[in-house]
Amino acid sequence: MNIRKILILPDPVLRKKSLPVKKVDKDIQNLMDDMLATMYDAPGIGLAAIQIGILKRIVVMDVSKEPEKKEPMYLINPEITWKSNVNASYEEGCLSIPNQFAKIERPDKCNIKYLDYYGKKREIKAEGLLATCIQHEIDHLNGILFIDYLSKLKKDIIVKKISKNKKELERIVV
Ligand code: ZN
Protein backbone atom coordinates (compact mmCIF):
# COMPACT_ATOMS: atom_id res chain seq x y z
CA MET A 1 0.00 0.00 0.00
CA ASN A 2 1.22 3.45 -0.89
CA ILE A 3 0.21 6.82 0.40
CA ARG A 4 -0.55 8.98 -2.64
CA LYS A 5 -0.36 12.73 -3.03
CA ILE A 6 -3.71 14.49 -2.65
CA LEU A 7 -4.46 17.20 -5.22
CA ILE A 8 -5.27 20.59 -3.75
CA LEU A 9 -7.52 23.34 -5.06
CA PRO A 10 -7.19 25.03 -7.60
CA ASP A 11 -5.69 21.99 -9.38
CA PRO A 12 -7.67 21.83 -12.64
CA VAL A 13 -7.83 18.01 -12.51
CA LEU A 14 -10.31 18.31 -9.62
CA ARG A 15 -12.79 19.80 -12.11
CA LYS A 16 -12.69 16.87 -14.52
CA LYS A 17 -15.38 14.21 -14.84
CA SER A 18 -14.31 10.70 -13.82
CA LEU A 19 -15.06 7.71 -16.03
CA PRO A 20 -16.84 4.49 -15.01
CA VAL A 21 -14.75 1.46 -14.07
CA LYS A 22 -15.30 -1.31 -16.64
CA LYS A 23 -13.91 -4.23 -14.68
CA VAL A 24 -13.05 -4.62 -11.00
CA ASP A 25 -9.68 -6.37 -11.11
CA LYS A 26 -6.54 -6.56 -8.99
CA ASP A 27 -5.30 -3.17 -10.28
CA ILE A 28 -8.52 -1.50 -9.16
CA GLN A 29 -8.30 -3.25 -5.77
CA ASN A 30 -4.69 -2.11 -5.34
CA LEU A 31 -5.77 1.42 -6.20
CA MET A 32 -8.56 1.26 -3.59
CA ASP A 33 -6.07 -0.02 -0.97
CA ASP A 34 -3.84 2.98 -1.71
CA MET A 35 -6.81 5.34 -1.57
CA LEU A 36 -7.90 4.01 1.82
CA ALA A 37 -4.35 4.27 3.23
CA THR A 38 -4.10 7.83 1.88
CA MET A 39 -7.47 8.75 3.39
CA TYR A 40 -6.61 7.36 6.86
CA ASP A 41 -3.20 9.04 6.72
CA ALA A 42 -4.65 12.48 5.82
CA PRO A 43 -6.85 11.90 7.95
CA GLY A 44 -10.25 12.06 6.30
CA ILE A 45 -13.54 10.16 6.17
CA GLY A 46 -13.87 10.01 2.39
CA LEU A 47 -11.69 10.16 -0.71
CA ALA A 48 -12.48 10.02 -4.42
CA ALA A 49 -9.91 8.65 -6.91
CA ILE A 50 -9.81 12.01 -8.71
CA GLN A 51 -8.33 13.53 -5.55
CA ILE A 52 -5.17 11.51 -6.19
CA GLY A 53 -5.34 12.36 -9.89
CA ILE A 54 -7.07 9.22 -11.16
CA LEU A 55 -10.17 9.83 -13.25
CA LYS A 56 -12.08 6.71 -12.27
CA ARG A 57 -15.44 6.58 -10.54
CA ILE A 58 -14.16 5.15 -7.26
CA VAL A 59 -14.75 6.35 -3.71
CA VAL A 60 -13.50 5.08 -0.36
CA MET A 61 -15.04 6.11 2.93
CA ASP A 62 -15.09 5.34 6.62
CA VAL A 63 -17.67 7.19 8.65
CA SER A 64 -17.40 4.98 11.77
CA LYS A 65 -17.68 7.00 14.95
CA GLU A 66 -14.97 5.22 16.91
CA PRO A 67 -11.53 5.79 15.38
CA GLU A 68 -10.15 2.45 16.56
CA LYS A 69 -13.03 0.54 14.94
CA LYS A 70 -12.38 0.79 11.22
CA GLU A 71 -15.32 0.33 8.85
CA PRO A 72 -13.96 0.95 5.35
CA MET A 73 -16.39 1.23 2.45
CA TYR A 74 -15.43 0.90 -1.20
CA LEU A 75 -17.81 2.28 -3.81
CA ILE A 76 -17.19 1.73 -7.49
CA ASN A 77 -19.40 3.53 -10.05
CA PRO A 78 -21.69 4.85 -7.29
CA GLU A 79 -25.03 6.27 -8.42
CA ILE A 80 -27.75 8.02 -6.47
CA THR A 81 -31.05 6.28 -7.24
CA TRP A 82 -33.21 8.34 -4.87
CA LYS A 83 -32.89 11.54 -2.86
CA SER A 84 -35.06 12.80 -0.02
CA ASN A 85 -36.86 16.17 -0.37
CA VAL A 86 -35.78 17.10 3.13
CA ASN A 87 -32.39 18.75 3.57
CA ALA A 88 -29.86 18.43 6.36
CA SER A 89 -26.82 20.60 6.86
CA TYR A 90 -23.34 19.67 7.96
CA GLU A 91 -20.15 21.63 8.38
CA GLU A 92 -18.23 20.17 5.43
CA GLY A 93 -14.55 20.11 4.71
CA CYS A 94 -12.51 18.44 1.99
CA LEU A 95 -9.02 16.95 1.81
CA SER A 96 -8.47 18.92 -1.41
CA ILE A 97 -9.46 22.19 0.29
CA PRO A 98 -7.44 22.00 3.53
CA ASN A 99 -8.59 23.71 6.71
CA GLN A 100 -11.67 25.30 5.15
CA PHE A 101 -15.17 24.44 6.33
CA ALA A 102 -18.64 25.59 5.42
CA LYS A 103 -22.17 24.63 6.26
CA ILE A 104 -23.68 22.87 3.24
CA GLU A 105 -27.26 21.72 2.75
CA ARG A 106 -27.94 18.42 1.03
CA PRO A 107 -30.79 15.88 1.00
CA ASP A 108 -30.75 14.14 4.40
CA LYS A 109 -31.30 10.67 2.93
CA CYS A 110 -30.44 8.98 -0.32
CA ASN A 111 -30.26 5.52 -1.88
CA ILE A 112 -27.11 4.47 -3.69
CA LYS A 113 -26.20 1.63 -5.98
CA TYR A 114 -22.56 0.70 -6.59
CA LEU A 115 -20.11 -2.15 -7.01
CA ASP A 116 -18.16 -3.23 -3.94
CA TYR A 117 -14.47 -4.19 -3.53
CA TYR A 118 -15.13 -7.49 -5.30
CA GLY A 119 -17.24 -6.02 -8.09
CA LYS A 120 -20.49 -7.22 -6.55
CA LYS A 121 -23.61 -5.07 -7.09
CA ARG A 122 -24.86 -3.45 -3.92
CA GLU A 123 -27.54 -1.01 -2.84
CA ILE A 124 -27.72 0.96 0.39
CA LYS A 125 -30.03 3.45 2.03
CA ALA A 126 -27.94 6.21 3.51
CA GLU A 127 -28.82 8.89 6.03
CA GLY A 128 -27.07 11.36 8.31
CA LEU A 129 -23.32 11.70 7.94
CA LEU A 130 -23.13 8.73 5.55
CA ALA A 131 -25.64 10.35 3.15
CA THR A 132 -23.76 13.66 3.22
CA CYS A 133 -20.39 12.02 2.73
CA ILE A 134 -21.58 9.90 -0.21
CA GLN A 135 -23.07 12.93 -1.95
CA HIS A 136 -19.89 14.96 -1.38
CA GLU A 137 -17.78 12.14 -2.87
CA ILE A 138 -20.08 11.54 -5.87
CA ASP A 139 -19.85 15.27 -6.57
CA HIS A 140 -16.06 14.84 -6.82
CA LEU A 141 -16.59 12.24 -9.58
CA ASN A 142 -18.48 14.92 -11.50
CA GLY A 143 -15.89 17.66 -10.91
CA ILE A 144 -18.02 19.39 -8.27
CA LEU A 145 -16.60 20.69 -4.97
CA PHE A 146 -18.52 21.68 -1.82
CA ILE A 147 -17.53 25.33 -2.30
CA ASP A 148 -19.68 25.35 -5.47
CA TYR A 149 -22.75 25.44 -3.20
CA LEU A 150 -21.59 28.68 -1.58
CA SER A 151 -22.17 32.25 -2.72
CA LYS A 152 -19.57 33.57 -5.17
CA LEU A 153 -18.16 35.83 -2.47
CA LYS A 154 -17.64 33.03 0.08
CA LYS A 155 -16.25 30.75 -2.62
CA ASP A 156 -13.76 33.39 -3.80
CA ILE A 157 -12.51 33.93 -0.25
CA ILE A 158 -11.79 30.21 0.19
CA VAL A 159 -10.10 29.87 -3.22
CA LYS A 160 -7.90 32.88 -2.44
CA LYS A 161 -6.92 31.55 0.99
CA ILE A 162 -6.02 28.13 -0.39
CA SER A 163 -3.99 29.58 -3.28
CA LYS A 164 -2.09 31.78 -0.84
CA ASN A 165 -1.37 28.88 1.56
CA LYS A 166 -0.29 26.71 -1.35
CA LYS A 167 2.20 29.33 -2.55
CA GLU A 168 3.62 29.72 0.96
CA LEU A 169 4.01 25.98 1.29
CA GLU A 170 5.81 25.80 -2.03
CA ARG A 171 8.16 28.57 -0.92
CA ILE A 172 9.14 26.58 2.16
CA VAL A 173 9.72 23.44 0.10
CA VAL A 174 11.91 25.35 -2.37
ZN1 ZN B 1 -13.83 16.33 -0.85
Side-chain angles (χ1 to χ4, degrees), residues 25-161:
D25 55 16
K26 194 72 200 138
D27 286 344
I28 293 292
Q29 290 176 337
N30 288 340
L31 170 64
M32 290 192 289
D33 293 343
D34 280 4
M35 285 171 62
L36 198 74
T38 305
M39 182 192 86
Y40 283 138
D41 178 68
I45 59 169
L47 185 79
I50 190 168
Q51 291 179 276
I52 55 164
I54 292 166
L55 297 174
K56 291 185 192 299
R57 302 186 80 81
I58 304 174
V59 165
V60 295
M61 298 192 320
D62 188 337
V63 293
S64 63
K65 290 196 178 75
E66 300 154 56
E68 59 282 9
K69 217 169 106 194
K70 288 194 163 64
E71 285 169 26
M73 287 180 75
Y74 306 89
L75 297 94
I76 303 165
N77 302 337
E79 268 176 62
I80 294 171
T81 55
W82 174 83
K83 273 184 200 178
S84 150
N85 292 324
V86 180
N87 281 350
S89 72
Y90 272 92
E91 192 88 8
E92 290 189 30
C94 179
L95 292 176
S96 295
I97 312 173
N99 305 318
Q100 301 301 318
F101 301 90
K103 215 170 204 185
I104 305 293
E105 276 201 15
R106 300 181 186 270
D108 69 338
K109 293 183 185 127
C110 59
N111 295 352
I112 314 286
K113 63 172 188 179
Y114 62 97
L115 302 176
D116 69 11
Y117 190 84
Y118 301 99
K120 201 176 156 217
K121 278 186 194 168
R122 297 206 174 253
E123 257 184 285
I124 49 165
K125 292 182 197 302
E127 57 177 80
L129 179 61
L130 179 63
T132 290
C133 192
I134 286 177
Q135 292 173 68
H136 176 118
E137 298 307 330
I138 291 178
D139 273 354
H140 272 301
L141 305 181
N142 297 319
I144 299 165
L145 300 169
F146 80 83
I147 53 170
D148 299 345
Y149 296 98
L150 300 172
S151 68
K152 193 181 177 303
L153 183 70
K154 281 188 186 164
K155 186 175 165 178
D156 286 350
I157 291 171
I158 290 181
V159 173
K160 252 187 218 160
K161 271 191 198 161

